[in-house]
Amino acid sequence: MFCPGVSILPDGRILISGGSNAASSTIYNPANNTWSAATPMDIPRAYQSNVTLSNGQVFLLGGSWAGGQGGKNGDIWSTGAGWRGLANAPVAPILTNDPQGVFRSDNHAWLFAVADGKVFHAGPSRRMNMYTTSSTSAVQDLGLRADSGDAMNGNAVMYDVGKILTLGGSPAYQDSDATARAHAIDINNGVTVTRTGDMAARRAFLNSVVLPDGQVLALGGQAYGDRQVHRARADDCAAHISQRGAIAA
């Protein structure tokens, strides 16, 4: 289940989809501590984003990290019916301009359920969108997130009704400097975006949580995107040590 999407269903069960087993779906029931297989996804995927809709269904989008690259358009899950594709919910509008292409550009979308089964896409691409998930599915371009660039591995949290705070991220998934920028998005009457004060530190891979008084606490992260070059060097070093150990033995 590495890198799956996770959604809490209205009845308290948890739907886990995709990841390293890219087509699989599993349901966990915390009431009796049981796991059960669900209908496999039509489109295998990982690093996608899931969101539970106002009607109790689950919408997901993106996820080229596993299960093939590209074409990770919107799917919807409902109890009893399983997964079905949405004809007019393309992934293309959410793509970032990542140098690694679609393998990274459709990862970790910031999705928020709104009324009537709709989904607001806040990022991490610099463009925002509204997805309609009914039988007549559609996507509407809502313009740029003010002066924000692409913010992959940043964070977004709804801190009040229809109000979202976006935090940090970097232009590319890896080998890219993170930003300290934060933006407040209000979707209550159209869409307005305001740049707020920056965080004290540049952060990607951070977490955030809304406190009881409505403030948002940002925790952790790093000032640089995923360091693939350093990871490769560590792998080489481990291999060299292994070879030396074999020779010594």
Side-chain angles (χ1 to χ4, degrees), residues 44-183:
R45 55 181 99 210
Y47 278 178
Q48 80 274 15
S49 288
N50 294 30
V51 61
T52 303
L53 305 179
S54 58
N55 57 17
Q57 297 178 321
V58 174
F59 173 76
L60 58 75
L61 189 66
S64 288
W65 184 83
Q69 296 183 23
K72 309 293 185 171
N73 300 324
D75 264 356
I76 199 163
W77 180 92
S78 56
T79 301
W83 295 101
R84 63 178 175 86
L86 295 175
N88 299 307
V91 71
I94 77 164
L95 300 181
T96 66
N97 189 29
D98 198 289
Q100 286 190 287
V102 72
F103 172 65
R104 289 302 194 189
S105 63
D106 71 357
N107 297 180
H108 307 315
W110 304 339
L111 304 180
F112 295 88
V114 294
D116 301 321
K118 293 185 177 181
V119 176
F120 175 63
H121 162 248
S125 68
R126 60 198 304 257
R127 302 202 73 85
M128 304 175 295
N129 299 276
M130 185 72 77
Y131 281 84
T132 299
T133 65
S134 63
S135 57
T136 55
S137 55
V139 59
Q140 177 188 3
D141 185 346
L142 298 178
L144 299 175
R145 194 174 53 256
D147 63 346
S148 173
D150 292 339
M152 183 57 71
N153 297 316
N155 194 263
V157 59
M158 185 172 281
Y159 64 93
D160 200 346
V161 177
K163 296 182 179 181
I164 297 162
L165 183 67
T166 69
L167 300 162
S170 57
Y173 198 103
Q174 64 188 48
D175 301 328
S176 180
D177 288 328
T179 180
R181 290 188 178 186
H183 294 80

Side-chain angles (χ1 to χ4, degrees), residues 1 5-17 25-31 34-36 38 52 58 77:
M1 294 183 181
V6 178
S7 294
I8 299 177
L9 303 177
D11 61 7
R13 294 179 301 157
I14 300 172
L15 175 67
I16 304 100
S17 57
S25 293
T26 305
I27 293 178
Y28 174 66
N29 188 342
T34 59
W35 296 82
S36 59
T52 303
V58 174
W77 180 92

